[in-house]
């Protein structure tokens, strides 16, 4: 396996071979080049990328809304609905690594066009087939196919990473990730609009809304995106990262943050209807609140990165998991007491802290390898240039692996809810599992990155 890297390439003056095509010259670390030529090109690519990724996230999240339309006429019990929201998360997680590698293989512009058009694979048949009488097997296949939208995040992040100098990557990638995450509440607002106007009898209208937007995203990529020259998949980088214990520690933590965000985003509407059926007798009643959690979780993600910059990523992540455990405990207590407003407060807190944790854990990854590179230079095991290259190589690989593994947390959340309702008719067992996972995460964060000891990594 490999990771994505780039080299500066200069062929004559700073021009492109045609608007929205392959760049002849790309030197983002050159201040003069960046000021006169690079920054406008990078900004144009960033905004198009955000739009395309946003649509991808919305398609990935389609079934968080679609299940609200599946009334008695479809003959699906709550356990079956949680399975329908689990399979998109599973495919999205699996696709993240190959989508990352596809940017260097096909070029950022071409792959964005391809990945955007692939969103038609689930949305077109959903628009045609979603009606009472459709088999559960067909629904499972359609739900699984929406997982292609989950892969778009990885390729979009890998592509935008190539455009920006090191000093600006954090802000650019944060905007790209946040704009993508907003696709979750956006599709739920679309679902709310359909429910409020056409009613629950027309679930096919939700994917239908996205058909022209998908085509628009592909056309925008074809018109305005560029391909950075010199991008390549570095052989062996992912294998090297997979042998590093920090890769799996950070993947575990990212399951707790991003996995919670995407899993709760998919499940929130269903859980509200099941836990408080008397308050939400119709799907539109639940839809009014379904989008709220993913919205605040998306908007607050940059705060996690900002706090990590000021206070340290490991410290913010540790206390964030303590807060998530408290939030899950609040939800469990409120569910048992049947206190709706306390329940809603606890669940919104889970979205808020999962968003903060998304930012803080991503900030930890480059800090880990910067600290290890500095230690290698101090002990004479590496020279400064090779240490910096190694740190960038390992950072890129770990981000790719952690992103894929973390997305699988969305599967675990929905399966936990499914098994809990199957076993006891309520979600108490799922909430206890979440508390246990968050406790494991803050214990691991403390033991690996915060516990005073010889060899502890500095400034993580």
């Amino acid at each position: 396996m490999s990771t994505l890297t780039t080299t500066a390439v200069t062929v004559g003056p700073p021009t492109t071979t045609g608007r929205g095509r392959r760049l002849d010259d790309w030197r983002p670390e050159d201040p003069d080049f960046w000021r006169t030529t690079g920054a406008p090109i990078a900004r144009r690519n960033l905004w198009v990328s955000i739009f395309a990724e946003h649509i991808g996230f919305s398609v990935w999240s389609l079934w968080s809304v679609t299940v609200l339309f599946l009334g008695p006429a479809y003959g699906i019990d709550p356990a079956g609905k949680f399975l329908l929201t689990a399979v998109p998360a599973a495919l999205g997680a699996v696709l993240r690594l190959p989508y990352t590698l596809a940017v260097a293989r096909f070029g950022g512009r071409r792959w964005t066009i391809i990945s955007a058009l692939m969103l038609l694979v689930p949305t077109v048949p959903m628009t045609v087939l979603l009606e009472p009488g459709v088999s559960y097997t067909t629904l499972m296949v359609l739900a699984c196919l929406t997982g292609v939208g989950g892969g778009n995040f990885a390729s979009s992040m890998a592509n935008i990473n190539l455009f920006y100098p090191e000093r600006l990557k954090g802000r650019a990638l944060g905007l790209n990730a946040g704009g993508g995450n907003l696709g979750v509440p956006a599709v739920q607002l679309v679902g709310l609009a359909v429910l409020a106007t056409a009613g629950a009898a027309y679930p096919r209208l939700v994917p239908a809304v996205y058909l022209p937007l998908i085509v628009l995203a592909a056309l925008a990529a074809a018109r305005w995106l560029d391909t950075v020259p010199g991008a390549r998949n570095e052989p062996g980088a992912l294998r090297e990262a997979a042998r590093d214990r920090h890769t799996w520690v950070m993947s575990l933590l990212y399951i707790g943050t991003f996995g919670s965000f995407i899993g709760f985003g998919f499940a929130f509407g269903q859980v509200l209807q099941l836990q408080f059926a008397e308050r939400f007798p119709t799907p539109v009643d639940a839809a009014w609140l379904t989008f709220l959690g993913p919205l605040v979780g998306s908007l607050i993600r940059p705060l996690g990165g900002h706090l990590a910059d000021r206070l340290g990523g490991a410290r913010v992540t540790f206390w964030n998991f303590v807060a998530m455990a408290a939030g899950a405990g609040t939800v469990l207590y409120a569910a048992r007491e049947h206190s709706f407003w306390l329940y809603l407060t606890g669940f919104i807190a889970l979205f808020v802290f999962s968003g903060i944790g998304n930012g803080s854990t991503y900030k930890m990854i480059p800090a880990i390898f910067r600290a290890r590179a500095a230690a290698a230079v101090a002990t004479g095991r590496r020279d400064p240039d090779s240490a910096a290259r190694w740190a960038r190589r390992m950072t890129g690989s770990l981000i790719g692996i952690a992103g894929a593994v973390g997305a699988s947390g969305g599967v675990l959340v929905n399966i936990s809810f499914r098994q809990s309702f199957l076993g006891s008719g309520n979600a108490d067992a799922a909430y206890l599992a979440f508390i246990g996972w968050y406790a494991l995460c803050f214990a691991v964060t403390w033991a690996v990155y915060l516990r005073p000891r010889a060899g502890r990594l500095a400034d993580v």
Side-chain angles (χ1 to χ4, degrees):
M1 300 294 287
S2 55
T3 190
L4 191 65
T5 61
T6 186
T7 55
V9 175
T10 304
V11 184
T15 61
T16 63
T17 57
R19 189 176 179 86
R21 298 181 183 275
R22 186 176 181 84
L23 298 165
D24 285 329
D25 174 37
W26 195 248
R27 291 171 282 115
E29 301 296 344
D30 180 332
D32 291 333
F33 175 88
W34 180 254
R35 185 179 63 256
T36 59
T37 303
I41 294 174
R43 281 195 298 269
R44 185 182 73 234
N45 280 267
L46 174 61
W47 295 121
V48 175
S49 177
I50 288 174
F51 175 64
E53 185 198 341
H54 178 92
I55 300 303
F57 249 93
S58 291
V59 170
W60 192 21
S61 308
L62 268 172
W63 284 83
S64 69
V65 174
T66 304
V67 292
L68 299 179
F69 288 83
L70 304 182
Y74 289 84
I76 305 172
D77 63 10
K81 291 181 181 179
F82 280 119
L83 203 55
L84 287 172
T85 51
V87 290
L91 183 61
V94 169
L95 290 179
R96 282 191 163 199
L97 279 180
Y99 268 55
T100 299
L101 302 178
V103 171
R105 174 66 179 83
F106 297 98
R109 172 178 173 269
R110 183 181 300 171
W111 183 250
T112 303
I113 297 168
I114 293 170
S115 61
L117 291 175
M118 285 177 66
L119 300 175
L120 295 172
V121 173
T123 50
V124 170
M126 283 179 68
T127 303
V128 174
L129 298 175
L130 279 180
E131 60 182 13
V134 63
S135 71
Y136 185 72
T137 300
T138 300
L139 294 177
M140 281 287 288
V141 172
L142 294 176
C144 185
L145 288 175
T146 59
V148 297
N152 286 23
F153 173 86
S155 57
S156 179
M157 295 289 276
N159 187 43
I160 290 304
N161 182 64
L162 300 174
F163 280 92
Y164 280 82
E166 290 295 328
R167 70 184 188 280
L168 299 177
K169 285 183 188 292
R171 180 176 180 274
L173 293 176
L175 286 171
N176 200 52
N181 287 356
L182 284 170
V184 181
V187 74
Q188 292 167 350
L189 284 172
V190 170
L192 172 61
V194 171
L195 284 167
T197 55
Y202 299 97
R204 63 179 64 189
L205 292 180
V206 181
V209 167
Y210 280 91
L211 296 181
L213 296 176
I214 291 168
V215 174
L216 181 60
L219 291 175
R223 179 67 179 88
W224 287 298
L225 283 191
D226 304 284
T227 293
V228 173
R232 65 187 186 277
N233 289 320
E234 196 171 327
L238 285 179
R239 275 198 299 270
E240 182 181 358
R243 293 193 292 266
D244 192 295
R245 74 185 184 106
H246 291 283
T247 297
W248 302 108
V249 171
M250 293 307 302
S251 294
L252 181 147
L253 300 184
Y254 203 54
I255 288 174
T257 57
F258 181 76
S260 293
F261 170 79
I262 198 66
F264 292 148
F266 284 7
F268 189 35
Q270 295 183 75
V271 174
L272 280 177
Q273 281 197 290
L274 291 169
Q275 296 273 192
F276 298 93
E278 75 288 348
R279 184 178 284 269
F280 301 106
T282 67
V284 71
D285 296 308
W288 280 106
L289 290 174
T290 297
F291 76 94
L292 184 59
L295 177 63
V296 296
S298 299
L299 293 176
I300 207 165
R301 178 173 180 150
L303 177 61
H306 176 70
L307 291 173
D309 284 339
R310 294 189 58 187
L311 305 174
R315 184 175 291 108
V316 172
T317 298
F318 171 82
W319 287 110
N320 191 74
F321 277 122
V322 171
M324 291 184 75
T330 300
V331 170
L332 174 61
Y333 174 80
R336 289 178 170 175
E337 295 297 315
H338 211 66
S339 172
F340 170 71
W341 290 109
L342 184 61
Y343 183 89
L344 181 62
T345 299
F347 231 119
I348 295 300
L350 284 174
F351 277 108
V352 167
F353 290 114
S354 67
I356 292 173
N358 284 340
S360 66
T361 50
Y362 251 54
K363 285 286 187 176
M364 287 176 67
I365 293 172
I368 289 168
F369 292 111
R370 280 198 304 268
R372 293 172 66 186
V377 171
T379 57
R381 289 179 286 118
R382 290 182 184 269
D383 64 81
D385 287 342
S386 69
R389 287 195 300 271
W390 175 83
R392 287 194 296 269
R393 162 190 171 107
M394 293 295 285
T395 294
S397 299
L398 198 161
I399 286 174
I401 295 172
V405 175
S408 68
V411 183
L412 298 176
V413 166
N414 282 272
I415 292 299
S416 295
F417 279 126
R418 177 181 187 273
Q419 295 307 118
S420 185
F421 278 105
L422 274 177
S424 60
N426 59 53
D428 289 4
Y431 302 138
L432 288 169
F434 302 150
I435 294 169
W437 187 266
Y438 302 145
L440 172 64
C441 287
F442 70 67
V444 168
T445 304
W446 180 84
V448 178
Y449 300 113
L450 294 175
R451 179 172 58 92
R453 70 187 191 283
R456 171 186 163 187
L457 295 177
D459 301 321
V460 172

